[in-house]
């Protein structure tokens, strides 16, 4: 009888554990192992956090104190007393499974304990604990009448990769120090640990270099233009060149410290030898072009001037030595990224001095000229005690001995580099370009390509054919040509960076789109509480237009999320759920001028009201017929 009762008890426990796993937890990125226990932890009004005085413990305690006090109104005391509500415990004997960033989180009715080998692990455990609390914990002001409870759990977690990056382009549009801090906080919540700052480009030089003041007095400003970047009218002399800005060295130090308190390293990028117009405008002697004296920092008009540094001039290397001396001192992170992408060779080809260099160094083509430049740069970087990283174009003329490669034109550059024994970070356009449109191009600021959430979720940084040890990890990149303000930075980043977070943190076998997307929806609610903007495009349908066998224009829809209903109109009115529901391909009525579409989840409108001109559908159908 006893045995029988025990069996019933075990079954009940297993079922209730299973039910709670599905019902209550929405942790992103998905942990390695989660066991939901019976019961709840109730956050008291007076909370104590204990931690040993080991390095980094303060940061974790402060993070928790701030997060818990702001929204719940609880009072948090930090002490070294071992009797505490939340205990942060450095493991005395290293747990090999957890590694450097892993943690073990126990939530019981009586309290919370996080155990880790390092402060970084404690921090990630704390982030997971916050995600167990009600969404209102994300509020920036006190929220009353909330049951501040977390389910009892036992979570063991550690990342798949040590490199979990996001890149923010602060050159095309400048974002203030405080905005970058907000970005860092947002990244930390999803356990990213590298912020790659694209600090220089044709539109602005964003970091103070004391020995080269014109880089920021001249190179940091352009003309403010609004509209479609790349197609702006050429600036006229009467338009003020006051738009932009830069980070002083004090501000950089402040950002580095702020990031490190959140266990994030900042990797600076100085993009050379292409994308260097801002530097050339400040110091025209860096270019092979005599006309460089008349150049101006790009403002988003069509680029028609030489934006490359002269690889054949010692002045270029002396310049880069000065820049890198200061950059290396400001950023403690081991790598400096030196760009190397999209370097046009047309001006080098017209230069006698580059021709002379090719002869002297026996360089057979301009890729080898760039390789000569990159190898010299690698030596300079290493002389500052740093490691060299560049975009995958640096492979083309031959890689320098220790260069690490960031593969963006797909993963093939990364595969080549890894096969040559070089370290690689994968950040392919196909999965990880956050500047791409998230939904149909009719709804988004126009960029030349699209990347939907479910595609970002398919990113696996390790191809079968390479030594996994050489793949440091993965990264998503937010270029900001079409991103004019910080709200749009957020919109472009979330939710796709949630997918990337899971791609680079979670164990491969723990990933599942079916379980991931419901979690994303829970996190939308958390972002709402935090007043962080996100792209809702995942709820919008994709449109497929074609000319059918009867020579009629036809349109089909699909959604990346299941369970949505699509309602439509061709009569210029705004559809709701009492309109026709899409079930099969629609033939566009002969005289219709626009199609309107909205998705619903049950009775709730959830997608945006999309207005699609019939002329656009016709254009797409014609393009499809022509095969492009
Ligand atoms: C890049 O997207 N040009 C690296």
């Amino acid at each position: 009888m006893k045995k029988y009762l025990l069996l019933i008890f075990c079954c009940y426990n297993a079922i209730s554990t299973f039910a709670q796993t599905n019902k209550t937890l929405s942790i992103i990125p998905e942990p390695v192992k989660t066991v939901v226990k019976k019961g709840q932890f109730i956050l008291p009004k007076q909370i104590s956090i204990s931690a040993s005085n080991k390095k980094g413990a303060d940061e974790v305690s402060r993070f928790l104190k701030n997060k818990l006090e702001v929204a719940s109104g609880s009072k948090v005391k930090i002490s070294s007393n071992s009797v505490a509500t939340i205990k942060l415990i450095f493991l005395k004997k290293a747990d090999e499974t957890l590694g450097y960033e892993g943690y073990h989180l126990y939530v019981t009715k009586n309290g919370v304990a996080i155990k880790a080998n390092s402060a970084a692990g404690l921090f990630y455990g704390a982030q997971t604990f916050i995600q167990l609390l009600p969404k209102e914990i994300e509020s920036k002001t006190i929220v009353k009448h909330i049951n501040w409870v977390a389910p009892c759990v036992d979570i063991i977690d550690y990342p798949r990769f040590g490199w979990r990056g996001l890149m923010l382009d602060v050159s095309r549009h400048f974002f203030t120090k405080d905005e970058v801090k907000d970005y860092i906080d947002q990244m930390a919540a999803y356990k990213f640990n590298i912020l790659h700052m694209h600090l220089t480009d044709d539109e602005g030089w964003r970091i103070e270099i004391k020995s080269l003041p014109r880089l920021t007095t001249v190179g940091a400003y352009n003309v403010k233009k609004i509209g479609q970047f790349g197609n702006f009218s050429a600036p006229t002399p009467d338009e003020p060149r006051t738009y932009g800005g830069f980070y002083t060295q004090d501000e950089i130090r402040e950002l580095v410290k702020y990031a490190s308190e959140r266990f994030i390293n900042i990797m600076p990028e100085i993009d050379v030898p292409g994308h260097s117009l801002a530097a050339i405008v400040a110091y025209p002697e860096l270019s092979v072009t005599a006309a460089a004296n008349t150049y101006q920092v790009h403002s988003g008009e069509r680029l028609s001037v030489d934006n490359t540094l002269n690889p054949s001039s010692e002045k270029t290397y002396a310049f880069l030595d000065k820049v890198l001396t200061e950059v290396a001192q400001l950023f403690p992170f081991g790598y400096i990224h030196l760009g190397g992408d999209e370097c046009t060779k047309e001006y080098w080809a017209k230069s006698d001095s580059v021709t002379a260099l090719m002869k002297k160094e026996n360089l057979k083509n301009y890729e080898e000229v760039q390789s000569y430049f990159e190898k010299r740069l690698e030596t300079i970087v290493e002389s500052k005690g740093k490691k060299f990283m560049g975009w995958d174009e640096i492979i083309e003329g031959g890689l320098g001995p220790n260069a690490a490669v960031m593969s963006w034109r797909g993963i093939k550059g990364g595969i080549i580099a890894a096969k040559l024994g070089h370290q690689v970070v994968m950040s392919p356009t196909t999965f990880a370009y956050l500047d791409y449109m998230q939904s149909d191009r009719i709804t988004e600021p126009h960029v030349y390509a699209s990347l939907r959430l479910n595609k970002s979720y398919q990113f696996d940084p390790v191809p079968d054919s390479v030594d996994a040890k050489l793949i440091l990890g993965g990264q998503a990149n937010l270029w900001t040509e079409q991103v004019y303000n910080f709200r749009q930075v957020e919109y472009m980043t979330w939710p796709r960076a949630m997918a990337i977070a899971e791609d680079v943190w979670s164990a491969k076998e723990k990933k599942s789109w079916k379980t991931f997307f419901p979690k994303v929806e829970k996190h939308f609610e958390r972002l709402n509480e935090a007043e962080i903007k996100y792209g809702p495009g995942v709820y919008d349908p994709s449109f497929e237009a074609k000319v059918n066998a009867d020579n009629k224009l036809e349109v089909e829809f699909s959604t990346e999320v299941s369970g949505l209903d699509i309602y439509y109109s061709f009569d210029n009115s705004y559809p709701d759920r009492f309109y026709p529901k899409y079930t099969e391909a629609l033939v566009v009525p002969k005289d219709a001028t626009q199609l309107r579409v909205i998705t619903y989840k049950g009775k709730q409108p959830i997608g945006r009201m999309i207005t699609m001109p019939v002329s656009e559908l016709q254009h797409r159908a014609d393009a499809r017929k022509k095969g492009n």
Side-chain angles (χ1 to χ4, degrees), residues 378-533:
E378 184 174 329
T379 309
I380 299 174
V381 169
E382 289 179 352
S383 76
K384 314 296 171 201
K386 299 290 182 183
K387 292 187 271 189
F388 175 97
M389 182 175 281
W391 298 111
D392 57 67
E393 284 91 334
I394 66 170
I395 301 170
E396 287 169 0
L399 269 178
N402 307 311
V405 170
M406 189 170 269
S407 189
W408 72 281
R409 296 176 299 177
I411 57 169
K412 60 184 184 308
I415 294 174
I416 294 169
K419 288 200 165 151
L420 292 168
H422 291 256
Q423 293 190 315
V424 168
V425 174
M426 292 292 193
S427 65
T429 54
T430 24
F431 300 101
Y433 261 41
L434 301 179
D435 57 323
Y436 284 11
M437 299 176 290
Q438 309 180 61
S439 167
D440 193 279
R441 62 181 185 257
I442 210 80
T443 63
E444 302 292 314
H446 184 70
V447 180
Y448 55 92
S450 297
L451 174 65
R452 279 188 170 268
L453 178 65
N454 65 352
K455 183 80 181 185
S456 283
Y457 195 66
Q458 291 162 32
F459 178 33
D460 183 351
V462 181
D464 290 338
S465 55
V466 303
D467 177 359
K469 282 201 293 299
L470 290 166
I471 310 295
L472 301 177
Q475 180 173 299
N477 300 328
L478 180 53
W479 301 100
T480 60
E481 286 94 330
Q482 311 297 345
V483 180
Y484 293 75
N485 62 65
F486 190 66
R487 293 297 285 174
Q488 187 69 5
V489 166
E490 295 176 338
Y491 175 100
M492 298 304 281
T493 302
W494 311 112
R496 288 178 297 185
M498 292 180 200
I500 301 291
E502 211 152 296
D503 297 333
V504 293
W505 177 285
S506 302
K508 228 167 136 171
E509 60 279 7
K510 296 298 282 192
K511 281 181 62 192
S512 145
W513 172 254
K514 237 173 114 182
T515 52
F516 174 68
F517 188 67
K519 294 193 299 180
V520 170
E521 291 192 293
K522 290 282 175 211
H523 280 250
F524 282 163
E525 294 173 13
R526 300 181 84 88
L527 295 183
N528 287 339
E529 291 291 338
E531 299 183 297
I532 294 169
K533 201 171 186 189

Side-chain angles (χ1 to χ4, degrees), residues 128-276:
T128 297
F129 171 61
I130 294 298
Q131 290 195 18
L132 295 175
L133 289 167
K135 63 181 191 306
E136 290 81 3
I137 199 70
E138 298 299 337
S139 169
K140 294 189 183 107
T141 51
I142 284 197
V143 189
K144 297 213 169 112
H145 313 301
I146 297 291
N147 249 345
W148 294 107
V149 295
C152 293
V153 291
D154 185 348
I155 293 178
I156 295 174
D157 198 15
Y158 46 86
R160 183 169 170 214
F161 296 104
W163 189 296
R164 302 182 303 279
L166 290 183
M167 188 215 73
L168 180 62
D169 170 7
V170 292
S171 174
R172 272 47 178 277
H173 284 97
F174 179 63
F175 300 97
T176 64
K177 179 190 71 181
D178 288 340
E179 289 169 337
V180 176
K181 284 184 179 176
D182 280 351
Y183 204 61
I184 288 168
D185 283 328
Q186 293 175 28
M187 292 172 67
Y190 293 98
K191 303 187 176 81
F192 285 101
N193 65 353
I194 288 171
L195 172 62
H196 167 173
M197 290 181 79
H198 183 77
L199 287 165
T200 72
D201 214 300
D202 302 325
E203 291 73 19
W205 185 283
R206 306 292 181 208
I207 175 169
E208 178 187 26
I209 302 294
K210 288 191 192 284
S211 59
L212 295 159
R214 284 177 59 82
L215 284 173
T216 43
T217 53
V218 174
Y221 297 96
N222 61 2
V223 174
K224 181 169 179 156
K225 299 270 185 182
I226 304 272
Q228 181 68 27
F229 185 102
N231 287 330
F232 292 138
S233 54
T236 54
D238 60 323
E239 286 183 284
R241 288 199 157 263
T242 52
Y243 184 63
F246 65 94
Y247 310 105
T248 64
Q249 295 203 348
D250 280 345
E251 287 177 321
I252 291 282
R253 277 187 279 268
E254 191 180 325
L255 280 174
V256 166
K257 180 166 180 287
Y258 191 88
S260 84
E261 287 166 359
R262 285 144 187 84
F263 301 88
I264 288 175
N265 281 303
I266 300 187
M267 176 173 70
E269 181 187 352
I270 305 296
D271 196 355
V272 288
H275 289 276
S276 294

